[in-house]
Amino acid sequence: MIGIVLAAAEPAKAAGWFAEHFGFTVDVDLGWYVNTQHTGDLKLSLDFVQRDHESWPVVTRGRDVAGTLVAFVVDDVDAEHERLARAGLEVVLPLVTEPWGQRRFQVAGPDGVFVEVLQRVEPDPDWLAANGF
């Protein structure tokens, strides 16, 4: 089981965004805490906690999220890019094929979280050799 917990200004709104765009369903909604499960992988949960709630770590309580990137590996990144761009999501990193073996893009999510969608592709042989692989 893999669970990720993110601070959110509005946990239900953040959970709804991931449900709408990335295949999660809301299982528990306590207002200050929302649990979601991924419909394609029941071992993956994504939870949201009110960022100023007493259960959140004191050191970051009440602060905006910074430096958080959630990544999803997909079979067809081009189709996902088209689907999410058509849905109006803000693409912050356009589709790019990386020499280390990823084709990816990134979108802005709720509360300062970014989402990377990627597909594994064959790495560039020259890049592999230059990096000791």
Side-chain angles (χ1 to χ4, degrees), residues 83-100:
R83 179 182 71 82
L84 295 172
R86 199 172 44 247
L89 274 63
E90 178 187 358
V91 175
V92 296
L93 175 70
L95 267 171
V96 60
T97 301
E98 303 290 7
W100 53 82

Side-chain angles (χ1 to χ4, degrees), residues 8-75:
E10 298 178 56
K13 184 177 178 181
W17 187 87
F18 277 91
E20 178 182 354
H21 299 296
F22 292 100
F24 287 84
T25 58
V26 174
D27 280 354
V28 176
D29 184 346
L30 301 177
W32 61 271
Y33 167 80
V34 178
N35 163 262
T36 69
Q37 291 292 139
H38 194 272
T39 56
D41 186 348
L42 297 180
K43 293 185 178 184
L44 174 60
S45 69
L46 189 55
D47 299 348
F48 302 88
V49 173
Q50 182 80 35
R51 67 178 173 218
D52 61 356
H53 191 267
E54 64 190 45
S55 67
W56 197 251
V58 173
V59 69
T60 60
R61 191 175 297 161
R63 294 185 185 172
D64 290 340
V65 174
T68 300
L69 178 73
V70 177
F72 297 108
V73 179
V74 299
D75 292 329

